[in-house]
Amino acid sequence: MHIERVELRHVKLELVNPFETSMGVEIHEEHIIVRVDSEGVSGWGECVVEPLPTYSPETISTAWHILTDAIIPGVVGKRFQTLEDAITSWSWVRGHRMAKAGLEAALFDVQAKQKHVSLSNLLGGTRDAVDVGVSIGIQPNTQKMLSEVSAYLEQGYARIKIKITPGKDLKFIESIRNVYPKIPLQVDANSAYTLQDLDIFKEMEKYKLLLIEQPLGYEDIYEHSLLQRKLDTPICLDESIHSLGDAQAALAMKSCRIINIKPGRVGGYSESIKIHDLCAAHNIPVWHGGMLESGIGRAGNLALASLPNFKLPGDISASKRYFKQDIVAPEFVVTPDGKMKVPNQPGIGVDVLEDRLNAVTVTAKEFRAH
Ligand code: OSB
Ligand code: MG
């Protein structure tokens, strides 16, 4: 694999609706798109960093810096025997997993295109469609929440997740359960609670939630084990799992019964597959999280979510749930039975629309060997 050129683009896409969580409100989605040109093909990846360190300590600026000054100089103009060799070239860089994952994704796309196989096929996927759900932000009142839930159910989503924060939790869950006693329903706290809030979680048990996502500290594994011990509802860790080692610790401590995998959070597809396999061996289901990706990241998410131990619906929604217009074609759609097709064309399996990409680009930078 000869890496001739790398390009970074800071992109800014307007969301169709503001997305509110316990971490704040997002009106635009800003990420970094990575393009790698190698031997006649272009590979694409999406680096899911955000402008400020609300979800992850990484930001657009830190990832731009690490890619530009540490990672890309060891890749551009180089020839690697294998994809693994390319990935190993940045193993000396500590942390900065989202930065690594964006470039790794583009290299996987290059590899799949050069082998004329789909990314799903290259990663070991076994399904041609996956169950998908929707992640609904915090709403001003229960009335508005109910209309959101009903609209998404009508579109076919197989599972509803709502964001919660202290004061906007039980009454929202109760209002949904009153109208929809049976739908698969889960909640995501994004670390907004502490062990002092045990009574709130105890109260949630009667609503038969599929899971409670990341209730406690964003790097915590130990306190989640204390909470899980007191609950029948499964805890699912998101923010706390950055690596295979974190997943091993969480399973050993029984901190959760389900894990959310986001390739950006754990450093890429390679680490995601290790976590997927570890969980499979321990009978722990995983599901694919989301970072409001554009179609580039979404295509990769679908490919990864086609692996067999992704047993619960992912936060992988239709393009139009996020953006007026996506930057890839075809756009992603959800079927009436709550599934999304896994692209089966070579690589990520969708075409990047260059004019759309240019329209959403804030800054771009090109790297070539000199
Ligand atoms: O915690 O899962 C999360 C979006 C940004 C940051 C964190 C999270 C989310 C989501 C969005 O829940 C899910 C999606 O992409 O649809
Ligand atoms: Mg989450």
Side-chain angles (χ1 to χ4, degrees):
M1 191 184 272
H2 179 212
I3 313 297
E4 290 139 9
R5 179 177 175 275
V6 179
E7 181 185 277
L8 300 182
R9 285 171 185 255
H10 171 182
V11 295
K12 182 171 179 175
L13 286 84
E14 193 179 346
L15 292 168
V16 287
N17 290 308
F19 188 67
E20 181 170 349
T21 70
S22 62
M23 308 173 287
V25 189
E26 286 187 71
I27 294 168
H28 292 94
E29 199 52 43
E30 294 183 54
H31 285 162
I32 298 172
I33 299 297
V34 183
R35 170 176 165 168
V36 171
D37 292 295
S38 169
E39 299 164 52
V41 304
S42 303
W44 298 89
E46 182 161 343
C47 181
V48 297
V49 282
E50 295 176 331
L52 292 170
T54 49
Y55 168 82
S56 155
E58 291 183 76
T59 66
I60 302 242
S61 302
T62 69
W64 195 274
H65 157 56
I66 292 299
L67 283 163
T68 299
D69 299 323
I71 297 180
I72 293 173
V75 171
V76 75
K78 302 282 188 316
R79 284 174 198 276
F80 297 100
Q81 282 294 327
T82 64
L83 175 58
E84 291 68 36
D85 289 348
I87 295 168
T88 305
S89 76
W90 62 75
S91 61
W92 62 274
V93 177
R94 296 186 179 185
H96 301 284
R97 294 188 164 87
M98 288 182 176
K100 293 171 180 171
L103 180 60
E104 200 224 48
L107 293 177
F108 265 91
D109 187 25
V110 164
Q111 173 91 337
K113 284 170 174 161
Q114 288 176 349
K115 290 190 164 183
H116 304 287
V117 298
S118 67
L119 181 59
S120 163
N121 192 301
L122 183 66
L123 296 176
T126 53
R127 284 175 294 207
D128 55 14
V130 299
D131 290 322
V132 296
V134 65
S135 171
I136 304 178
I138 292 168
Q139 300 298 317
N141 53 57
T142 56
Q143 205 60 36
K144 185 78 190 355
M145 179 61 89
L146 282 172
S147 68
E148 291 285 299
V149 170
S150 102
Y152 285 123
L153 288 172
E154 239 162 73
Q155 291 166 36
Y157 289 100
R159 173 228 82 193
I160 300 291
K161 152 171 152 182
I162 65 165
K163 294 287 186 176
I164 55 168
T165 199
K168 287 199 160 180
D169 40 38
L170 292 167
K171 66 172 189 272
F172 284 81
I173 300 167
E174 184 186 24
S175 73
I176 297 171
R177 269 292 177 245
N178 283 342
V179 184
Y180 304 105
K182 293 266 163 64
I183 56 161
L185 178 66
Q186 64 193 54
V187 296
D188 188 358
N190 289 111
S191 297
Y193 297 82
T194 71
L195 280 177
Q196 308 294 312
D197 298 312
L198 177 64
D199 290 348
I200 300 176
F201 296 112
K202 278 285 188 199
E203 191 65 24
M204 275 179 210
E205 302 249 65
K206 68 170 181 256
Y207 300 111
K208 302 292 169 223
L209 300 173
L210 279 179
L211 58 90
I212 299 170
E213 185 177 346
Q214 196 71 34
L216 309 179
Y218 61 86
E219 286 187 315
D220 171 78
I221 292 177
Y222 173 63
E223 290 194 346
H224 281 100
S225 77
L226 303 181
L227 181 60
Q228 181 67 92
R229 223 180 269 177
K230 299 197 165 126
L231 296 178
D232 292 328
T233 309
I235 288 177
C236 167
L237 290 178
D238 172 353
E239 281 90 330
S240 294
I241 306 297
H242 310 102
S243 62
L244 176 67
D246 285 342
Q248 285 167 327
L251 299 196
M253 274 196 239
K254 300 192 192 309
S255 305
C256 61
R257 295 192 200 124
I258 297 172
I259 287 181
N260 159 325
I261 294 182
K262 295 177 183 173
R265 200 190 63 228
V266 304
Y269 298 133
S270 310
E271 193 76 3
S272 298
I273 293 169
K274 290 180 192 162
I275 296 171
H276 165 275
D277 294 351
L278 170 82
C279 289
H282 287 80
N283 266 316
I284 296 284
V286 302
W287 57 281
H288 205 299
M291 292 295 290
L292 309 175
E293 289 90 345
S294 78
I296 293 175
R298 191 161 316 283
N301 291 354
L302 280 163
L304 184 61
S306 71
L307 270 69
N309 195 39
F310 281 85
K311 293 251 168 74
L312 298 170
D315 277 350
I316 305 177
S317 307
S319 297
K320 70 166 192 197
R321 177 256 176 278
Y322 307 99
F323 316 108
K324 226 181 262 160
Q325 208 193 335
D326 209 331
I327 60 175
V328 302
E331 296 208 333
F332 291 101
V333 293
V334 58
T335 60
D337 62 341
K339 292 183 186 290
M340 200 173 282
K341 270 215 195 112
V342 179
N344 58 11
Q345 298 299 304
I348 60 170
V350 287
D351 292 327
V352 176
L353 301 172
E354 302 261 355
D355 53 339
R356 278 288 300 143
L357 183 61
N358 287 335
V360 299
T361 298
V362 180
T363 10
K365 191 172 170 134
E366 179 184 55
F367 305 81
R368 290 175 190 272
H370 5 258

